[in-house]
Amino acid sequence: MMKSIFKMFEPTEMQFTRQAISRLKWASIFSFPFPVLTAWLFIAKSNGPKEITEWIVTVLMLLSAAAFIYVCGSRLLNRAWSPDKYLDESEIARKRQSGSFAFIWMISIAMVVTLIWLIWHYIGWPIPDFANRSGFGFQVLAVLICWAFIIQAYKMSQMLVPLLEDDEIAELTKTDKKYWVKFALWVGMAFTLTLGLGAFDKSYDDGAKARAIEKCGQGNVKSVSTKGLFQTTITCSNE
Amino acid sequence: MLYIYNNMIYNRIKLLRTEKGLSRKDLADAVDVNFQTIGYLERGDYNPSLELAFKLAEYFDVPIDAAFSPRPFLSLSEQLKAQKKD
């Protein structure tokens, strides 16, 4: 059963053209900002960015979401997370090489983050507002986990080399009629992901504000601060 | 002493495959690997396992050292020159 499912998602010959591999390489590079921008959306947004900043971040997020979805949907890169028994020997070699590359980078990044945190803490510099929120540590961890996935995808894409000759590509291109369907699906998913995250964030903030007004009454809300997903601290001005 | 140049095993897979008129996919199916493994082998980007090397040699019905070598294979003209000398 599982074998036939993995067989369905095996890479096709068309994915080994120079252009397809180049697209994958660029997509993996452009997907690096995606987790950071998502974290920004959830944490730093409420700390006072101007509307124009929000627009710029939303556009950047849309572009990086498109790249991220392209990377996630790539059959070549998905092989990095398949069990060994469904892969052949060259795929296993690529998977292990990219896995160890991602591991080394993640350890290095985690060490640098820890070092910065320690230095910051011991020197006693003031902590920025966004870093002082309770969800910040979790967000950093989530970004690092996402990056582990993207770093591995990046390394895998760097290891791929074009295998097809020009005449073979021409022959295969004739048979690929689903190009526009795939393109539309990809753009649609990028919009859904970006707007979905934005809508979730907005509805979460609106919900907290509505609860504050309900508790304190209109015009009496002093502050609303959220902790994690389920805790909201409301301070009324008349308390 | 055997020295493997550039950590690479040279092979004649492409030559043997085209001689038989096979596509990469046909050969891959015959030896139970993905076509990309065959592609990487032909480009010299991947050193096969012993098991795959034996499978390929057996499939083409040639001795394993006729298909794989730790040293670059001689070109046809070099082979002819060497034969003349002998």
Side-chain angles (χ1 to χ4, degrees):
Chain A
M1 169 70 179
M2 285 304 281
K3 192 167 186 175
S4 53
I5 291 172
F6 279 102
K7 199 95 182 149
M8 266 165 56
F9 294 102
E10 266 184 6
T12 63
E13 285 177 298
M14 264 314 273
Q15 287 162 328
F16 284 93
T17 61
R18 193 173 297 281
Q19 290 89 340
I21 290 172
S22 174
R23 272 200 299 271
L24 260 185
K25 285 179 184 173
W26 283 109
S28 63
I29 290 169
F30 282 117
S31 53
F32 273 100
F34 179 69
V36 180
L37 293 172
T38 311
W40 183 89
L41 180 80
F42 283 106
I43 276 209
K45 189 168 115 26
S46 51
N47 286 274
K50 302 285 172 284
E51 203 171 307
I52 184 72
T53 324
E54 275 186 41
W55 270 105
I56 293 169
V57 171
T58 308
V59 170
L60 288 177
M61 201 173 155
L62 184 64
L63 294 175
S64 62
F68 185 70
I69 286 170
Y70 193 84
V71 166
C72 290
S74 162
R75 292 183 181 203
L76 281 172
L77 302 185
N78 280 340
R79 308 298 275 178
W81 307 283
S82 305
D84 282 2
K85 59 181 174 178
Y86 303 122
L87 304 175
D88 83 349
E89 57 178 67
S90 72
E91 287 177 317
I92 293 173
R94 265 209 311 274
K95 174 184 160 179
R96 291 190 182 157
Q97 215 175 324
S98 59
S100 59
F101 178 84
F103 177 75
I104 290 166
W105 268 96
M106 285 323 297
I107 293 291
S108 311
I109 293 172
M111 277 170 69
V112 170
V113 169
T114 313
L115 201 66
I116 291 172
W117 182 82
L118 280 174
I119 292 170
W120 204 283
H121 182 74
Y122 279 108
I123 290 179
W125 281 333
I127 298 168
D129 277 352
F130 68 89
N132 218 5
R133 289 172 62 127
S134 59
F136 185 70
F138 169 74
Q139 296 280 344
V140 171
L141 191 67
V143 168
L144 287 179
I145 290 168
C146 262
W147 270 356
F149 164 85
I150 297 171
I151 290 172
Q152 188 170 7
Y154 167 77
K155 179 63 181 170
M156 271 198 106
S157 70
Q158 294 296 320
M159 284 192 292
L160 296 170
V161 284
L163 294 179
L164 301 185
E165 310 288 341
D166 286 347
D167 52 337
E168 289 173 297
I169 295 168
E171 191 57 39
L172 286 168
T173 314
K174 279 186 210 162
T175 56
D176 190 17
K177 289 174 185 162
K178 293 180 206 155
Y179 181 80
W180 286 106
V181 179
K182 285 179 199 165
F183 183 74
L185 201 66
W186 171 53
V187 173
M189 281 172 77
F191 269 98
T192 311
L193 184 62
T194 309
L195 299 179
L197 285 170
F200 174 76
D201 181 53
K202 183 149 181 19
S203 65
Y204 182 68
D205 284 351
D206 288 351
K209 278 177 199 159
R211 279 200 299 279
I213 290 169
E214 197 181 316
K215 186 183 170 191
C216 307
Q218 190 76 36
N220 289 329
V221 181
K222 192 178 174 190
S223 68
V224 183
S225 65
T226 50
K227 189 179 175 187
L229 276 178
F230 306 106
Q231 281 183 308
T232 309
T233 312
I234 299 163
T235 317
C236 304
S237 51
N238 52 2
E239 274 178 5
Chain B
M1 191 179 102
L2 177 68
Y3 175 72
I4 300 191
Y5 303 91
N6 305 325
N7 196 21
M8 184 174 170
I9 301 288
Y10 296 86
N11 69 71
R12 281 184 170 133
I13 301 299
K14 191 168 188 176
L15 182 79
L16 294 165
R17 175 173 70 80
T18 41
E19 255 179 20
K20 274 205 165 194
L22 295 168
S23 70
R24 284 192 201 97
K25 185 109 183 66
D26 297 333
L27 178 57
D29 290 342
V31 291
D32 198 25
V33 290
N34 281 351
F35 73 92
Q36 42 178 310
T37 301
I38 302 296
Y40 284 118
L41 270 176
E42 288 180 355
R43 284 179 55 100
D45 283 325
Y46 174 67
N47 290 340
S49 65
L50 260 180
E51 186 192 354
L52 179 59
F54 274 106
K55 266 188 189 173
L56 284 162
E58 197 174 291
Y59 179 76
F60 288 119
D61 198 19
V62 292
I64 195 159
D65 59 350
F68 297 94
S69 164
R71 295 175 195 84
F73 284 103
L74 294 177
S75 67
L76 186 62
S77 58
E78 285 169 333
Q79 282 179 42
L80 287 171
K81 269 185 207 166
Q83 272 180 3
K84 263 188 184 177
K85 274 185 192 168
D86 293 341

